[in-house]
């Protein structure tokens, strides 16, 4: 009988998000630039020579460790609370270094997808993935456009960051265009702050529509329910860190109530920088849609950018009214070599 993971949080993570493979990525790109025909063989030799060498932690490692640690609370006869699947464009042969590092760290990861240069996106549904963490811009965009699951492009690891608690899972989310749809953010971008506040106050009792991370938030709420703790003392702590302020705050509260989701902490910042808040929260990961917030935060906590859907005006349109910066359109990576390691976001 097939394994039913419908009640399990499943995280798919690329090898370059779990481990810091920037050096291997750079080696392959350099070899490809010199000779595209021999690059693959040379890269394979490079990886085989180093398959027993340790790798540094990638941006997603702290989150993966913390999530897998929750399985100690699962009754022995029940389905796991969390599953992690490593998904990589490496071939199985060149991925041995990744396998060895998973084993040496004692990570309880038993499922893998190594696709030999092909995108892993087509296999997300097969593994019932709820959250996909990657360094590949194109893969993340495909996932978001297909509304397959939550996805983020991870920033480089914050090597000097204070370690988050090892007995909790602490996840911080932005609100608009992440948990909630982008309709309200579009009003702000196109009509300004005063109009945004007026409309949000008028609609304070009207729930917002789902954003790309709404289903993940509900899955995390279900994870809290499966743990032998009340939500207020659960080891899974969820924070919303949003630039909203009064009178736009009540629509957030009422939307969460409508969804039946408990959030431990909410910060309505009204222009205060998010970095110090997520640093104080000691997040295992922080999800936001704008590099304006992510780049400074990523120096202190693991962070991931949530792409806009390609059909959203926020994806590339230079909206001008409110003066709030949007991140630049995603780079066209089509001219790069067909990497076997996952492409690292140039942004």
């Amino acid at each position: 009988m097939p394994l039913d993971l419908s009640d399990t949080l499943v995280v798919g993570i690329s090898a370059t998000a779990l481990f810091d493979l920037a050096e291997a990525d750079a080696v392959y790109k350099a070899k490809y630039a010199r000779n595209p025909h021999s690059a693959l063989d040379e890269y394979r030799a490079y990886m085989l020579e180093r398959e027993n060498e340790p790798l540094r932690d990638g941006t997603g490692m702290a989150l993966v460790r913390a999530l897998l640690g929750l399985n100690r609370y699962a009754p022995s006869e029940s389905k796991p609370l969390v599953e992690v699947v490593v998904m990589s464009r490496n071939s199985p042969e060149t991925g041995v270094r990744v396998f060895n590092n998973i084993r040496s760290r004692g990570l309880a990861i038993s499922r893998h997808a190594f696709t030999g240069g092909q995108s892993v996106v087509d296999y997300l549904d097969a593994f019932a993935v709820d959250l996909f963490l990657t360094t590949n811009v194109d893969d993340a965009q495909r996932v978001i456009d297909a509304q397959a699951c939550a996805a983020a492009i991870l920033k480089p690891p914050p090597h000097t960051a204070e370690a988050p608690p090892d007995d909790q899972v602490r996840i911080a989310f932005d609100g608009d265009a992440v948990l909630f749809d982008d309709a309200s953010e579009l009003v702000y971008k196109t009509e300004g702050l005063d109009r945004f506040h007026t409309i949000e106050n008028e609609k304070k009792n009207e729930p917002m529509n789902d954003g790309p991370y709404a289903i993940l938030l509900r899955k995390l709420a279900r994870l809290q329910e499966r743990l032998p703790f009340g939500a207020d003392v659960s080891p899974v702590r969820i924070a919303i860190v949003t630039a909203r302020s009064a009178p736009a705050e009540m629509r957030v509260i009422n939307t969460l109530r409508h969804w039946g989701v408990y959030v431990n902490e909410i910060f309505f910042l009204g222009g205060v920088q998010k970095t110090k808040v997520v640093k104080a929260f000691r997040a295992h990961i922080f999800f936001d849609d704008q590099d304006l917030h992510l780049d400074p935060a990523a120096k202190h906590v693991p962070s991931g950018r949530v792409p806009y859907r390609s059909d959203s005006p926020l994806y590339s349109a230079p909206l001008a009214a409110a003066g709030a910066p949007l991140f630049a359109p995603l780079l066209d990576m089509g001219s790069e070599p067909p990497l076997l390691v996952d492409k690292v976001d140039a942004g």
Side-chain angles (χ1 to χ4, degrees):
M1 183 176 179
L3 179 64
D4 179 12
L5 294 172
S6 60
D7 209 27
T8 297
L9 176 67
V10 182
V11 176
I13 184 167
S14 70
T16 54
L18 185 61
F19 298 107
D20 186 350
L21 284 165
E23 179 182 338
D25 182 63
V27 166
Y28 179 75
K29 287 180 178 179
K31 293 182 181 299
Y32 188 92
R34 288 196 299 269
N35 187 338
H37 301 293
S38 63
L40 180 57
D41 288 338
E42 292 177 9
Y43 172 74
R44 183 180 292 113
Y46 169 88
M47 291 297 284
L48 291 177
E49 289 172 2
R50 291 161 177 79
E51 64 182 24
N52 292 312
E53 294 182 5
L55 291 166
R56 292 188 300 177
D57 289 353
T59 305
M61 178 63 79
L63 177 67
V64 165
R65 281 189 182 278
L67 284 171
L68 289 174
L70 295 176
N71 284 327
R72 65 183 180 273
Y73 300 116
S76 57
E77 70 279 2
S78 70
K79 297 181 178 67
L81 296 170
V82 177
E83 283 279 345
V84 174
V85 183
V86 174
M87 314 186 82
S88 174
R89 290 171 179 248
N90 272 294
S91 67
E93 183 182 44
T94 58
V96 168
R97 190 178 182 188
V98 173
F99 293 136
N100 287 340
N101 275 266
I102 289 172
R103 291 189 176 201
S104 68
R105 283 170 168 79
L107 298 175
I109 298 174
S110 60
R111 294 181 176 83
H112 309 83
F114 282 70
T115 60
Q118 300 301 307
S119 172
V120 301
V121 172
D122 294 334
Y123 301 97
L124 295 178
D125 181 63
F127 285 94
V129 170
D130 299 299
L131 170 65
F132 179 53
L133 302 175
T134 183
T135 58
N136 187 296
V137 176
D138 295 336
D139 281 353
Q141 191 65 55
R142 282 185 60 196
V143 175
I144 291 294
D145 286 345
Q147 302 179 65
C149 64
I153 306 156
L154 297 193
K155 295 290 183 178
H159 290 304
T160 59
E162 180 183 359
D166 58 9
D167 58 346
Q168 293 181 324
V169 178
R170 305 174 73 90
I171 304 177
F173 298 95
D174 181 27
D176 294 288
V178 178
L179 294 175
F180 316 122
D181 71 354
D182 59 13
S184 296
E185 187 160 338
L186 279 167
V187 171
Y188 171 55
K189 302 292 187 184
T190 58
E191 301 183 47
L193 182 60
D194 290 343
R195 180 61 177 159
F196 168 79
H197 277 159
T198 297
I199 292 176
E200 291 304 295
N201 193 43
E202 290 174 350
K203 294 184 174 182
K204 61 179 179 292
N205 294 315
E206 180 181 322
M208 287 178 276
N209 292 323
D210 287 4
Y213 275 57
I215 294 175
L216 175 64
L217 183 63
R218 294 187 183 102
K219 199 72 178 272
L220 287 169
R222 174 57 184 151
L223 177 60
Q224 286 180 324
E225 292 174 358
R226 291 188 65 196
L227 289 165
F229 307 92
D232 55 336
V233 295
S234 171
V236 178
R237 292 193 64 84
I238 301 170
I240 296 177
V241 183
T242 173
R244 284 178 177 245
S245 61
E249 84 286 19
M250 284 309 300
R251 194 175 186 197
V252 173
I253 301 296
N254 289 327
T255 297
L256 295 174
R257 286 177 173 176
H258 178 75
W259 290 356
V261 170
Y262 180 88
V263 171
N264 302 91
E265 305 181 36
I266 297 184
F267 302 91
F268 296 104
L269 299 181
V272 173
Q273 190 182 55
K274 295 183 178 183
T275 299
K276 291 183 179 180
V277 174
V278 296
K279 181 182 178 183
F281 179 67
R282 298 175 69 192
H284 286 87
I285 197 159
F286 169 48
F287 295 112
D288 201 290
D289 60 305
Q290 297 188 52
D291 286 334
L292 169 73
H293 304 302
L294 287 166
D295 286 340
K299 297 175 183 177
H300 304 283
V301 300
S303 302
R305 176 162 64 83
V306 180
Y308 300 126
R309 284 176 53 179
S310 297
D311 59 1
S312 168
L314 292 173
Y315 174 73
S316 59
L319 305 179
L326 292 174
F327 59 77
L330 296 179
L331 299 175
D332 179 8
M333 308 297 279
S335 60
E336 289 200 4
L339 298 186
L340 293 187
V341 291
D342 307 283
K343 288 182 287 187
V344 176
D345 180 11

